[in-house]
Amino acid sequence: MRAWTAPHVPTLQTAGGRLRIHDTALDDLVEVEPDNNEARVYVCGITPYDATHLGHANTYVAYDLMYRTLLDCGHRVLYTQNVTDVDDPLLERAAQTGVNWEDLAEDQVVLFREDMTALRVLPPQHYVGAVEAIPSVIDLIESLKLTGAVYQVEDDDYPDWYFEVRRAPGFGRLSKLSDSEALALFAERGGDPERAGKRDPLDCLVWRMERPGEPAWDSRLGRGRPGWHIECTAIALQHLGADFDVQGGGSDLVFPHHEMCAAEGALATRQPFAKAYVHSGMVGLHGEKMSKSRGNLVLVSRLRASGADPMAIRLGLLAHHYRTDWEWTADSLREAQHRLQQWRDAVARPSAPSAGALIDELRAALRADLDAPAALAAMDAWAAQSGDDPDAGAAVTEAIDALLGVRL
Ligand code: ZN
């Protein structure tokens, strides 16, 4: 699948150093130490039916900040993102609205690309749809079958294929949930603990046999379509290999999605799936998580259409640490627009304080678990000071673009 056009990233004089980031599995900061200086990153992409609300934008801007920090550390970055372009929520939405599911997915991906471009988010090198990944999904299921961990339920109509999650070394270490918590979340987030014939209620679907009216593909497993988790596992392993540096996504993906991916990947390759699991917080509106089902979406495309500067939207997101849950309010955009104007005025001054100390502060903040609020505060302080360096405005403009992705 085609990604979107990359924005230009100014190259700053490199300072080296390492990014320390919060790993959910360890619940601690870990240093990203890429093999051969190439950081391999996988971030779970959208299911294209309600793109792009501010919750999505918050997630992809957070990983964009990570991408930019890794580049600034002097690493190369190999970034893969998927699009879940065939799955139950997409098919349900298409059926409800009477739209062809492929057209719905295509339209939403177009919108997502436009929003990411406007927000100056760096595109992944591999942008991969579930549909185009079906051959790798089938290969991965076949290799898991050889370990005995993939089985068919006994069902005359739909003998679907499942993955026996507890076969995997370390299953449960990422989310650290009790059995009852895991079961409740599994049921809430697309799982089917009640399905008869499974070896364990948490076993996850890897290949769903064809149902009337649903899309399906021929395979050695029978005609059907991929389950959700196996799609990301297959795409990540194909494009990044095992034991890659960062598996990322929103915190609502810790369980079951990332736990299942880690289990499938670890059993298939006999290596850890990823070195670190990174999760961004949820954006709420009026006390609730933003989601289509609650009807409280703030769409980036609508904000843009109403005249909001995409750089102000980006600054509004960066005003919150990526790991916190926070609320979008009418003031969020107003405050961000005000800050953007102050910064633009500050870099346009004929002279200003030298850029060096500010760039050091920005780098220190970002390398410490992507502390964007600290970086914004450093820039606010610089903008409020006067100085006599005539080149500072241009140097700061480049640094803010390179490190924060905000073009002044
Ligand atoms: Zn995923």
Side-chain angles (χ1 to χ4, degrees):
M1 194 175 275
R2 185 174 60 82
W4 53 94
T5 309
H8 171 68
V9 183
T11 310
L12 305 179
Q13 206 153 39
T14 173
R18 289 273 163 83
L19 167 65
R20 286 166 63 77
I21 194 130
H22 182 266
D23 172 30
T24 303
L26 292 177
D27 191 17
D28 204 354
L29 298 188
V30 294
E31 215 162 71
V32 180
E33 299 175 272
D35 297 335
N36 305 315
N37 204 30
E38 181 177 68
R40 292 170 296 150
V41 174
Y42 187 90
V43 176
C44 290
I46 56 164
T47 299
Y49 68 97
D50 61 0
T52 311
H53 61 67
L54 280 175
H56 295 134
N58 189 52
T59 296
Y60 301 110
V61 165
Y63 294 102
D64 187 58
L65 203 59
M66 184 170 82
Y67 193 154
R68 288 166 184 275
T69 303
L70 290 167
L71 289 177
D72 188 55
C73 288
H75 306 313
R76 284 171 288 118
V77 179
L78 183 60
Y79 180 13
T80 299
Q81 188 180 125
N82 70 306
V83 181
T84 305
D85 58 359
V86 61
D87 199 17
D88 297 346
L90 171 72
L91 298 174
E92 284 162 17
R93 178 62 49 79
Q96 279 163 18
T97 50
V99 178
N100 175 286
W101 65 276
E102 288 163 297
D103 294 340
L104 173 62
E106 174 66 27
D107 288 351
Q108 293 291 306
V109 170
V110 167
L111 205 53
F112 181 71
R113 285 193 194 107
E114 289 172 6
D115 290 334
M116 292 299 104
T117 305
L119 293 171
R120 294 179 72 73
V121 170
L122 295 168
Q125 289 89 343
H126 299 289
Y127 193 47
V128 187
V131 171
E132 60 190 342
I134 284 175
S136 348
V137 168
I138 293 165
D139 287 347
L140 178 60
I141 296 172
E142 293 279 354
S143 67
L144 284 169
K145 234 172 94 185
L146 296 177
T147 72
V150 161
Y151 63 95
Q152 271 182 298
V153 289
E154 283 182 28
D155 183 318
D156 291 340
D157 297 322
Y158 305 117
D160 300 321
W161 293 88
Y162 280 83
F163 171 64
E164 191 177 354
V165 290
R166 292 188 200 276
R167 289 280 191 109
F171 176 73
R173 261 187 235 154
L174 175 60
S175 53
K176 298 179 268 294
L177 300 170
S178 69
D179 286 353
S180 60
E181 289 168 330
L183 277 172
L185 271 182
F186 188 55
E188 189 184 308
R189 296 175 177 167
D192 54 358
E194 307 291 339
R195 177 76 193 267
K198 293 205 290 181
R199 293 176 187 166
D200 186 291
L202 291 180
D203 288 353
C204 64
L205 178 76
V206 290
W207 191 256
R208 176 177 162 95
M209 303 303 270
E210 182 176 18
R211 280 11 178 216
E214 288 190 3
W217 288 263
D218 285 323
S219 83
R220 300 183 289 277
L221 305 157
R223 252 182 94 74
R225 62 180 167 96
W228 174 26
H229 317 302
I230 198 80
E231 159 203 345
C232 280
T233 314
I235 294 171
L237 292 176
Q238 184 188 348
H239 294 283
L240 301 176
D243 204 20
F244 58 90
D245 293 282
V246 172
Q247 157 77 306
S251 59
D252 55 347
L253 296 185
V254 174
F255 192 87
H257 186 52
H258 286 174
E259 190 81 66
M260 300 301 183
C261 292
E264 291 165 349
L267 197 65
T269 66
R270 301 279 163 190
Q271 289 183 76
F273 182 56
K275 295 182 202 296
Y277 294 85
V278 177
H279 295 99
S280 55
M282 297 287 113
V283 182
L285 185 74
H286 307 137
E288 286 185 316
K289 179 187 151 182
M290 209 174 275
S291 73
K292 187 82 178 186
S293 53
R294 292 187 175 90
N296 63 348
L297 297 184
V298 179
L299 296 180
V300 172
S301 49
R302 275 198 214 129
L303 288 177
R304 293 198 290 119
S306 69
D309 186 326
M311 293 299 91
I313 301 172
R314 186 168 171 120
L315 264 185
L317 300 171
L318 292 177
H320 304 269
H321 191 274
Y322 80 95
R323 282 202 283 135
T324 57
D325 295 334
W326 56 279
E327 293 264 314
W328 179 264
T329 68
D331 289 337
S332 303
L333 189 59
R334 237 189 334 265
E335 285 163 14
Q337 270 162 340
H338 177 67
R339 175 177 259 149
L340 183 64
Q341 194 54 55
Q342 283 191 315
W343 289 12
R344 283 182 172 155
D345 292 345
V347 297
R349 294 175 291 177
S351 68
S354 294
L358 170 62
I359 293 172
D360 289 347
E361 281 183 78
L362 295 174
R363 282 176 159 155
L366 295 172
R367 281 160 172 66
D369 200 23
L370 306 176
D371 192 347
L376 267 53
M379 177 60 184
D380 287 342
W382 178 87
Q385 290 158 10
S386 49
D388 54 11
D389 183 345
D391 301 323
V396 168
T397 301
E398 283 224 313
I400 294 294
D401 188 356
L403 297 173
L404 298 180
V406 175
R407 189 155 67 184
L408 297 177

